[in-house]
Amino acid sequence: MKLRSSGTANSEQQSNGEIRLREADDSAGPRQMMKDRVDLESSGHTPDEIRTIRILKWNVNPVVAVTHFNLFLYSCAFWIHLGVMPYLTKQLGVDPVMYGYLQTAFAIAQLAGGPLFGRFGDLFGSRTAFVIGFLASAASFFILGISYSIPLLFVSKLPSLFMHVMQGGQMVITDLSDPKDRTDALAKLGFSYGIGFAVGPLIGGFITNRYGSHTAAFAAGFISLLAVLNIYLFIPYVHKPHEKLHETHASGGQVFSPKKLMKLVSYPGIMLLLAIKFISAIPTGVFQATFALVSAQTFNLSPKENGYVLSYCGIIGMINQLIGVGYLNKKLKETTLLKLGSFVLIWSYLALSFVTDVWQLCLVLAPLVFGMTLAVVVIGSSLTKSVPETDTGAILGMNMAVNSLVRTFAPTMGGYMLQLYGYPSIGYLGAFTSSLVTIFLFFKFRD
């Protein structure tokens, strides 16, 4: 993206239209902090020091491979837990209003924890953050497994403050990838997550039917612990290639540093990207929050048929992330990709408003998921290139926080829209917001 920076971070225009900032010109921090950083770096590796291995015709980075496998495990565990929730809440007599409060509690915890988690990764390494994310997931799922009362259900959401495994995987890949290949590398993470999305509900359904909901929740917790073991065995500490001895002095090395976060959003292009992310995420969040209700009431789908539609969405997303985004990224600038994704969303959302049966829905979901995937991946990649290498974790956390912010109000907003204006209003909302974003992008970035 053609943005210019000022102050401590100088921008460097790339021929392919990406955002990238040069290393920040910071002075040295406290001596003890410098000593700690030297000790940490001496025990770690740079990305170039991690040797690839040959598998058939491909050279594979083992750290990247394990990261993908762990995201598959996380996706399995997460969707097992998600499938357990309706049964556990029903057993405990949770009404729809209370269930909405549970969703809001999860979203608020994620919103508060995203930037903290990213900042933690910048200070102590993406490997450590990855471990914390899985430990938080395991804690949440284990507490869910012993939830025989409504208060414990809410307690199970508290570890969600640090349950940012996808963000942790993005941090690892960001540390290892070259900026020009980062969009494709981050997109492929969605493929591994998508496989788990397809497998997890099947495993969860089998365990729930044979052994009960609580056992399924425990299984999700043990899967998360297996991922922690994989990290300790196969993922070394990787210090960032541009991380010398200047990173932590501005905020005194604190994990929670409002000053640091304010500095990040002051970099040219950051607020613009986050604003585009927020506006684009509103109709997506509303659609996702109301999809189960719409499937049952508008399209008369059974739970089994609804699962098939969700699997179909997952397959489309995997294809886009494995092949589509990578191919287009080699051909087009990131600003062009954003325009393309937003433009496709206009017509996809508009078509969604006129869908009357499940076959039409499946037809419209293909370009809709494509547009969503393109926007999410490109914005995430561009954000990491708009800040110094030492702050990529924090900016990824802020990126995730936008999604969490939308999830705090999307279920309520979607419910009112369905009640007052009907299902087509969701498509009209998406077409309107996507039109605003597309018009802005075409005026702001004229290639």
Side-chain angles (χ1 to χ4, degrees):
M1 298 181 68
K2 301 176 181 178
L3 301 173
R4 302 177 67 87
S5 67
S6 59
T8 60
N10 300 318
S11 66
E12 179 180 347
Q13 286 290 342
Q14 303 293 315
S15 59
N16 63 353
E18 297 173 344
I19 307 173
R20 189 174 179 184
L21 302 180
R22 295 194 185 115
E23 184 178 348
D25 183 19
D26 292 330
S27 59
R31 292 184 178 180
Q32 182 60 41
M33 194 173 297
M34 291 171 61
K35 180 179 182 301
D36 293 342
R37 179 63 66 187
V38 171
D39 292 342
L40 188 59
E41 288 188 354
S42 65
S43 64
H45 302 268
T46 65
D48 293 337
E49 292 172 342
I50 299 176
R51 297 180 179 275
T52 59
I53 57 177
R54 187 77 173 179
I55 299 180
L56 298 178
K57 298 180 180 180
W58 298 278
N59 292 321
V60 178
N61 185 317
V63 176
V64 173
V66 172
T67 300
H68 277 269
F69 181 66
N70 273 4
L71 284 180
F72 160 73
L73 292 178
Y74 169 70
S75 181
C76 280
F78 182 81
W79 285 98
I80 289 173
H81 127 271
L82 209 61
V84 163
M85 285 298 294
Y87 297 98
L88 277 180
T89 54
K90 184 177 180 180
Q91 292 172 13
L92 296 175
V94 174
D95 58 32
V97 174
M98 188 66 69
Y99 190 79
Y101 290 155
L102 274 171
Q103 290 181 305
T104 301
F106 175 77
I108 291 175
Q110 291 266 288
L111 172 62
L116 294 178
F117 184 85
R119 177 72 176 144
F120 181 90
D122 287 335
L123 292 174
F124 301 104
S126 55
R127 177 181 185 267
T128 305
F130 211 19
V131 170
I132 295 297
F134 274 110
L135 288 177
S137 301
S140 178
F141 301 150
F142 281 133
I143 295 173
L144 184 65
I146 61 173
S147 293
Y148 290 95
S149 66
I150 293 177
L152 273 178
L153 282 178
F154 281 91
V155 172
S156 73
K157 299 303 179 185
L158 293 180
S160 301
L161 187 70
F162 300 107
M163 200 173 84
H164 295 276
V165 174
M166 176 58 80
Q167 181 182 333
Q170 290 174 339
M171 291 160 62
V172 173
I173 296 301
T174 297
D175 287 349
L176 295 175
S177 61
D178 189 274
K180 65 183 178 63
D181 301 321
R182 189 169 297 162
T183 301
D184 185 33
L186 291 176
K188 285 182 169 61
L189 289 178
F191 177 78
S192 301
Y193 183 90
I195 298 176
F197 171 76
V199 174
L202 298 177
I203 297 175
F206 173 79
I207 297 176
T208 300
N209 289 334
R210 292 290 298 271
Y211 306 104
S213 301
H214 295 279
T215 303
F218 282 123
F222 282 115
I223 290 174
S224 299
L225 291 182
L226 174 61
V228 173
L229 180 63
N230 287 338
I231 295 172
Y232 275 113
L233 291 178
F234 301 111
I235 298 183
Y237 172 79
V238 179
H239 65 75
K240 301 182 179 184
H242 296 151
E243 179 178 272
K244 300 307 176 186
L245 299 178
H246 59 69
E247 188 269 332
T248 58
H249 83 280
S251 58
Q254 299 174 358
V255 174
F256 179 67
S257 174
K259 180 179 179 181
K260 185 67 176 180
L261 296 179
M262 291 302 297
K263 180 181 178 182
L264 285 179
V265 298
S266 69
Y267 286 130
I270 295 298
M271 284 300 295
L272 172 63
L273 288 168
L274 291 177
I276 293 173
K277 170 88 172 184
F278 176 74
I279 295 173
S280 301
I282 292 175
T284 301
V286 171
F287 178 67
Q288 291 175 342
T290 59
F291 185 77
L293 187 60
V294 169
S295 296
Q297 294 184 353
T298 304
F299 300 109
N300 299 315
L301 299 183
S302 66
K304 183 178 181 180
E305 291 169 334
N306 184 55
Y308 289 152
V309 174
L310 289 175
S311 297
Y312 168 72
C313 291
I315 292 172
I316 295 173
M318 286 190 293
I319 294 173
N320 287 333
Q321 290 164 327
L322 182 64
I323 302 174
V325 175
Y327 174 80
L328 291 175
N329 186 53
K330 295 177 182 178
K331 303 293 183 180
L332 303 172
K333 299 178 181 179
E334 287 189 341
T335 49
T336 306
L337 291 178
L338 270 180
K339 294 175 188 177
L340 175 62
S342 185
F343 182 76
V344 169
L345 284 176
I346 295 175
W347 303 105
S348 300
Y349 276 121
L350 190 61
L352 188 66
S353 299
F354 296 94
V355 166
T356 57
D357 60 54
V358 66
W359 299 110
Q360 293 175 359
L361 177 65
C362 290
L363 185 64
V364 170
L365 282 175
L368 187 65
V369 172
F370 169 77
M372 291 177 180
T373 301
L374 203 56
V376 168
V377 173
V378 171
I379 290 175
S381 175
S382 296
L383 283 169
T384 64
K385 300 171 192 175
S386 301
V387 299
E389 293 288 333
T390 53
D391 296 321
T392 52
I395 200 62
L396 283 171
M398 297 180 71
N399 182 44
M400 290 293 185
V402 172
N403 292 330
S404 301
L405 176 61
V406 171
R407 285 199 297 268
T408 61
F409 62 83
T412 302
M413 180 178 176
Y416 278 114
M417 289 177 63
L418 287 178
Q419 183 177 4
L420 297 176
Y421 306 107
Y423 160 72
S425 63
I426 298 175
Y428 292 138
L429 172 66
F432 175 71
T433 56
S434 299
S435 296
L436 291 180
V437 171
T438 303
I439 292 171
F440 174 79
L441 289 174
F442 271 93
F443 276 98
K444 182 68 175 179
F445 304 108
R446 300 179 180 179
D447 296 333

